[in-house]
Amino acid sequence: MSEALKQKIQDAFHEPGCATNTAKSEGERRKGCAKQLTPGAAAGGCAFDGAMIALQPITDVAHLVHAPLACWGNGWDNRGSASSGSDLYRRGFTTDLSELDIVMGRGEARLFRAIREVIAQENPAAVFVYATCVTALIGDDIGAVCKAAADRFGRPVIPINVPGYVGSKNLGNKLGVDALVEHVVGTMEPATITDCDINILGDFNLSGEIWQVKPLLDRLGIRILGSVSGDARYAQVAMMHRARVTMLVCSHAFLGIARKLEDRYGIPWFEGSFYGISDTSDALRTLCRMLVERGAPADLLTRCEALIAEEEARTWAALEPLRPAVAGRRVLLYTGGHKTWSVVSALQELGMEVVGTSMRKATPGDRARVAEIMGTEAHMYENMAPKEMYRMLRDARADVLMSGGRSQFVALKARVPWIDVNQEKHEPYAGYMGMVDLVRAIDRSINNPMWAELRDPAPWDVPAEEAAVTPFSLAAVPGSKADFEDC
């Protein structure tokens, strides 16, 4: 591992914008924010995977992985991040190194040719080049190759030097977005600047969720100038330094870029969520308040409150006929990040009972919010083994499991409905109308009549009831008695 990469890792472990990190001792800080994985263990993903997750949804960029084919054979449908424009981000580009390339030291030449080919064929806004374990171990200098290619072809070529072996997926998220600050942010200027320009970080636009929020911002005259990473464009990343306020959504790993934007360009930031009615309203209020503090028109606050009142009234009216179908139902939530608390808050607004929520990928701040919302820490769980999850579903008599796709089979085995709220989901649940869609999904799952039939005993397990046997009589059979006697 190069000294430069070691220093980047240490910088990520000393994030001054994280109150939890600054409260740690020097020794605890060196351990990072998450338990380090055992090399070779398929548990949680590697740093390269984390960098790809953070950056791949930038839609008009060619994401080129410098590695043997197995590291990145196909990117299509890797995530549910939706795009309103280019689908270039969904395609898998790789240098496909062979053993002979590695032994003969032809990796850098092959990378240069791959960059030339992808620019010629796809005409991307930029090329992101990802190092992997193999190419980092053999010493390929992707930084030098990217610089030479950018000079030669007149196109930004950005090195993402985050090989998988350096740490966990969470660390890869941090190092990936740090590369944007180092190589992209501040390299382009917007045609116009307004007092209501904002950055949104960490919203991956899963199933188009940001599109349910953007119309609200448009009505307030707020423009999303910079974005990482759902439905983002390379130019939006490059112009982030001209925004007035940054909103950090979901990923705590993006905290570093929010803090650096504040340190270098004076852009204040806050962390919020667009899940749930009250959280969406709070996020809009905070955005408008911070924009006014930075020079936006004062009437923005009044217009914001009017918008919130209108949208909340419309949403509750839409929810009114649906709430009786879900009120009082018990939910086991197994997800991670900000959804550990934002979805809990949203469900409680509907009158549902959360019997447990997981703390996967959750920060101490997330834990504190869950404890505040639920009033206790008794229903907070770490990673649950399938056997434990099955027991929880049966013992807690949960009516529904809300989780990612890998847990759906546990729910089916426990004969409990399941709803996907993770990155693979096909319905957007953000914003005001997202809550209506979520309630409809819960209603469809919980109140499907198939579950009652599935839970009933099988016919062969029901004891046979004794009944009097009626003697057979020809008189009860249509036709004449003579017809039968002649047979």
Side-chain angles (χ1 to χ4, degrees):
M1 190 186 307
S2 68
E3 291 300 322
L5 183 54
K6 288 181 180 177
Q7 186 57 50
K8 283 186 179 180
I9 294 172
Q10 288 304 312
D11 291 343
F13 287 168
H14 287 74
E15 174 53 57
C18 176
T20 304
N21 189 55
T22 54
K24 291 179 180 178
S25 65
E26 186 68 21
E28 287 296 317
R29 239 185 249 119
R30 290 197 185 98
K31 296 178 182 178
C33 300
K35 181 180 178 182
Q36 296 299 304
L37 304 177
T38 302
C46 65
F48 159 70
D49 181 34
M52 287 293 299
I53 286 174
L55 303 183
Q56 188 195 0
I58 300 175
T59 60
D60 58 351
V61 167
H63 300 270
L64 175 60
V65 179
H66 185 37
L69 181 63
C71 286
W72 191 250
N74 181 20
W76 200 263
D77 281 341
N78 182 53
R79 288 179 69 86
S81 298
S83 169
S84 59
S86 173
D87 64 1
L88 183 61
Y89 71 111
R90 301 181 69 190
R91 305 178 199 173
F93 300 103
T94 175
T95 51
D96 187 20
L97 291 183
S98 67
E99 292 181 359
L100 190 59
D101 293 324
I102 296 169
V103 172
M104 300 303 294
R106 299 197 299 231
E108 293 180 354
R110 193 173 180 92
L111 173 59
F112 188 86
R113 290 196 298 270
I115 295 171
R116 178 180 62 195
E117 184 177 344
V118 77
I119 290 176
Q121 292 188 6
E122 304 294 343
N123 191 31
V127 180
F128 285 4
V129 176
Y130 298 81
T132 57
C133 295
V134 173
T135 51
L137 287 170
I138 63 177
D140 281 358
D141 190 346
I142 68 167
V145 176
C146 289
K147 185 177 185 305
D151 293 340
R152 175 75 175 273
F153 307 120
R155 195 68 53 93
V157 183
I158 311 302
I160 312 297
N161 189 20
V162 189
Y165 63 77
V166 303
S168 66
K169 181 167 65 176
N170 182 271
L171 177 61
N173 293 152
K174 296 179 180 180
L175 297 179
V177 295
D178 186 67
L180 299 182
V181 179
E182 184 176 346
H183 298 288
V184 182
V185 175
T187 59
M188 296 176 67
E189 293 292 336
T192 59
I193 300 175
T194 75
D195 291 331
C196 293
D197 291 341
I198 66 168
N199 295 323
I200 292 186
L201 306 179
D203 184 286
F204 294 94
N205 197 34
L206 300 175
S207 303
E209 287 186 330
I210 194 64
W211 298 335
Q212 300 198 150
V213 177
K214 190 175 182 300
L216 303 175
L217 302 177
D218 291 341
R219 288 170 61 185
L220 294 171
I222 297 174
R223 179 175 68 162
I224 302 177
L225 177 68
S227 175
V228 180
S229 56
D231 197 26
R233 308 296 190 271
Y234 178 81
Q236 287 184 289
V237 180
M239 297 186 296
M240 293 178 69
H241 63 298
R242 295 306 184 193
R244 308 296 289 173
V245 173
T246 296
M247 178 176 176
L248 179 63
V249 182
C250 177
S251 181
H252 205 68
F254 284 65
L255 189 150
I257 186 172
R259 192 261 308 167
K260 289 179 180 179
L261 286 171
E262 183 174 35
D263 290 348
R264 299 183 184 184
Y265 305 105
I267 305 172
W269 62 276
F270 74 100
E271 187 174 2
S273 170
F274 290 123
Y275 276 92
I277 298 172
S278 60
D279 284 342
T280 300
S281 297
D282 289 344
L284 292 175
R285 285 191 182 99
T286 305
L287 265 177
C288 292
R289 175 181 56 79
M290 295 179 70
L291 285 171
V292 169
E293 290 173 353
R294 300 216 64 210
D299 71 332
L300 180 60
L301 297 176
T302 305
R303 292 189 288 113
C304 178
E305 290 300 328
L307 174 68
I308 289 173
E310 177 187 340
E311 290 296 324
E312 286 190 352
R314 185 163 66 97
T315 304
W316 285 117
L319 287 173
E320 199 58 37
L322 301 172
R323 289 183 69 188
V326 300
R329 298 300 186 123
R330 298 163 65 83
V331 181
L332 176 60
L333 184 64
Y334 189 67
T335 181
H338 84 305
K339 290 193 290 291
T340 55
W341 54 267
S342 60
V343 175
V344 169
S345 176
L347 294 174
Q348 288 185 340
E349 286 180 333
L350 301 171
M352 303 185 73
E353 179 185 352
V354 179
V355 298
T357 180
S358 68
M359 289 290 104
R360 297 186 306 155
K361 299 180 289 184
T363 66
D366 294 329
R367 293 172 184 271
R369 293 190 186 192
V370 171
E372 180 182 355
I373 293 170
M374 300 184 71
T376 176
E377 297 184 3
H379 301 296
M380 294 161 53
Y381 300 93
E382 300 299 333
N383 290 348
M384 281 188 283
K387 184 176 181 180
E388 183 182 356
M389 185 183 300
Y390 177 82
R391 181 185 58 79
M392 277 280 303
L393 289 171
R394 300 304 293 265
D395 293 352
R397 300 186 65 82
D399 294 299
V400 63
L401 171 66
M402 301 177 68
S403 69
R406 285 177 293 183
S407 307
Q408 62 180 305
F409 305 105
V410 180
L412 293 176
K413 185 175 180 63
R415 287 178 276 187
V416 171
W418 167 77
I419 296 175
D420 192 352
V421 293
N422 224 16
Q423 65 185 36
E424 305 92 354
K425 67 179 183 290
H426 297 286
E427 288 186 87
Y429 299 137
Y432 295 110
M433 284 298 102
M435 274 308 295
V436 179
D437 293 334
L438 178 60
V439 175
R440 286 178 179 149
I442 295 172
D443 181 21
R444 285 197 307 267
S445 295
I446 291 179
N447 298 310
N448 191 318
M450 64 154 289
W451 294 109
E453 296 181 10
L454 184 64
R455 291 163 184 156
D456 285 343
W460 50 84
D461 291 334
V462 178
E465 295 181 355
E466 295 184 4
V469 178
T470 304
F472 176 75
S473 172
L474 287 176
V477 180
S480 66
K481 183 178 180 180
D483 293 337
F484 288 96
E485 290 176 346
D486 293 341
C487 291

